[in-house]
Amino acid sequence: MSTANSQSTAHLEEASKGAGKVRVRIAPSPTGHLHVGTARTALYNYLYAKRHNGTFVLRLEDTDEVRSRDEFTHDIIDGLKWLGLSWDEGPDIGGPYPPYKQTEKVDHYEHFADKLIRDGRAYLCYATAEELALLKEDQKETGQAPRYDNRGRDLTDAARTKYEAEGRIPSVRFIVDEPRMVSWQDSIKGEISIDTSDLGGDMVIIKSTGTAIYNFAVVIDDIDMKMTHVIRGEDHIHNTAKQLLIYEALAINPPVFAHAPLIFDLERQKLSKRKHGETVHIDYYRKMGYMPEAIVNYLAQMSWTHPEGKEIYTLDEVAPLFDLDKVSKSPAVFDVARLNWFNGHYIRSLALSLITERAKPFLSQAGFNLSAYEGEQIEQIVGSVREGLTTLSELPDAVRFFFAEKPELSEEVKTTVLAGEKPAQVLKTLKDKLADMPWGDAPALKKAVDAMGKELALKGKDLYWPIRAALSGKTQGPDLGVTLAILGRERVLVRLESALSHC
Ligand code: GLU
């Protein structure tokens, strides 16, 4: 096991000269599903690593043992993979986790905490949960901000012996000198200064249960894993100040910090589970049939501007161009209408075979019998409607009529589109011509319908609507020739006969 003294910071010195290998990480806590904000942070780290030919690490920060769950670990790993943000080091589903999981490193953190105690930078604190709750209560009553009052800093030996005899189990607290300013040059935000008086007093680094606190474990991990840059959300700025104090006490050079702006909703409020429910989770977008390409593209351009002003790009295209100095300092806005615009673009432009593979689970879930169609017909079905889709969850409704025995004919369709002589004449003529139609050739089928219209001296609505209604139950939908080609002669016949019974 490494010790604080043996840590080399050569990687940091090299990185600061732009010479060494960049090492960055995404360090989610498995206390919830993969959040949109975490995905954006992961994306920035991924792009930064790619841009600098560096290493992107995934680490699971599970120091919150009560809220951490395997289910969330899996969701995070799955979600990052789905987005295409593959890591160079770190766990996969099912492990092996060490050293990329904090609860597996308890002894290691204790070792560093012991060193800080020996160096007079930390101490054992015997305050009980009840005492701390009382302190908080008092502070609340007197209108003070909650903070630890550093009461355990200078315990006498007698007091310590008394607490030990009472069976109190101590936590380890790190001494936060105050007042003083902690400053750093942030790669996104520029110069940042935090007053240590705002950090809540001496901070627990090891709980009485023996578990390390996030702000401590993260420093040790970033040292162990030789991180050169820490790119994370702006909500961590106060944590950064605390972490810089720990680096200083360990006499280890810190990595470069970069804090990305928060993501707000259209009402300028933080994206939160409480307000926005499942829509803050990547999994939600996956289930709703969003394209991962659209999500990463949308997240990338949310706070970063392409040098040529491009809006649509892939991860590979953008990686050589991405840098932190071009990330905006002001909050990003999550606008689902804009995400939908990106998604529609990708549904229309990605390979049809890929969209079809992604579409199949949505069709199966809707209860459609996919084996009713052969060969590439499912692809044709998806292709026939993809222009009009925003997400794949809209697909089943758009193609339901292909899978139904017969389309549902609404009263409105029956009375306005199918009623009267003309529609009956169109459908009957078409039925009589079925044997001679060029089946399998969509453009030729459309031409055949038009030729039939000429014979009947009908065109436009008068010609197409009854046929569309008979085939799909609707007057709008995919190209008529494509619809006929996909349905094929037998299905078309059944549908025409059924519609004719309503004419
Ligand atoms: N576990 C922290 C979080 O999920 C990571 C913060 C960091 O990147 O250091 O917010």
Side-chain angles (χ1 to χ4, degrees), residues 29-33 60 62 64-78 92-95 97 101 103-104:
S29 304
T31 52
H33 294 275
L60 294 161
D62 61 341
D64 185 343
E65 284 180 291
V66 180
R67 291 169 57 228
S68 293
R69 297 222 299 260
D70 281 352
E71 169 202 344
F72 297 137
T73 297
H74 292 175
D75 177 79
I76 289 165
I77 290 179
D78 262 357
D92 209 322
I93 292 173
Y97 293 112
K101 199 170 175 180
T103 45
E104 314 266 355

Side-chain angles (χ1 to χ4, degrees), residues 272-340:
S272 71
K273 175 100 190 285
R274 204 174 320 128
K275 179 167 178 203
H276 304 94
E278 298 305 312
T279 64
V280 299
H281 297 146
I282 291 297
D283 186 46
Y284 167 82
Y285 296 93
R286 188 177 175 172
K287 287 188 182 136
M288 289 300 290
Y290 282 81
M291 301 294 104
E293 294 83 355
I295 295 187
V296 290
N297 192 159
Y298 178 56
L299 291 177
Q301 57 82 59
M302 204 182 245
S303 295
W304 177 81
T305 311
H306 189 288
E308 288 160 27
K310 275 193 192 170
E311 292 196 300
I312 299 284
Y313 39 73
T314 63
L315 284 181
D316 286 348
E317 276 164 12
V318 84
L321 306 170
F322 182 84
D323 235 326
L324 297 171
D325 55 356
K326 296 282 181 315
V327 173
S328 157
K329 294 183 185 27
S330 35
V333 174
F334 188 88
D335 177 1
V336 80
R338 186 128 172 82
L339 171 60
N340 287 346

Side-chain angles (χ1 to χ4, degrees), residues 25-29 38 41 59 61 102 214 218 222 230-233 235-236 239 243:
R25 82 298 193 280
I26 181 70
S29 304
T38 310
T41 304
R59 183 170 77 219
E61 305 210 320
Q102 295 181 324
Y214 156 73
V218 76
D222 285 339
V230 169
I231 307 166
R232 59 187 172 197
D235 46 337
H236 283 287
N239 285 333
Q243 293 167 22

